[in-house]
Amino acid sequence: MVVRCRPMNEKEVGSGCGLAVNVDESRGIITVKNRNARTGEPPKQFTYDRVFGLDAKQVDLYNDAARPIVNCVLEGYNGEKCCQ
């Protein structure tokens, strides 16, 4: 499974929203912090096959996650089989 975290948009930045996620691309981990959490409550961590951070471009995600599947399908293979 692949996840891409987007940067905050202008409205979020203008409203003073804080960033809720931390992306560790090398380890494939997304850490989500609850700004309303009780003291001592740890952030939630989720592990994925591949994660893309705030500066990732759509083309990066496509080249890494989708292009191999598309190429397999164009070669006549079942796309689902290419993912395994």
Side-chain angles (χ1 to χ4, degrees):
M1 186 175 301
V2 178
V3 173
R4 177 185 180 204
C5 293
R6 66 167 178 81
M8 291 192 300
N9 61 35
E10 290 179 21
K11 182 177 178 183
E12 292 165 334
V13 171
S15 298
C17 295
L19 201 55
V21 298
N22 183 43
V23 179
D24 185 340
E25 290 186 26
S26 64
R27 294 176 40 210
I29 296 175
I30 303 285
T31 305
V32 181
K33 56 186 170 193
N34 180 356
R35 297 184 74 181
N36 299 319
R38 290 174 274 168
T39 304
E41 185 177 332
K44 307 283 188 220
Q45 281 194 339
F46 303 92
T47 303
Y48 299 95
D49 297 320
R50 182 86 160 90
V51 298
F52 291 86
L54 304 175
D55 58 344
K57 304 292 183 228
Q58 189 68 23
V59 70
D60 299 331
L61 181 68
Y62 175 79
N63 285 333
D64 188 79
R67 184 180 296 276
I69 298 169
V70 171
N71 288 341
C72 275
V73 170
L74 292 174
E75 291 174 12
Y77 297 100
N78 181 329
E80 184 177 331
K81 299 279 186 196
C82 295
C83 296
Q84 298 174 352

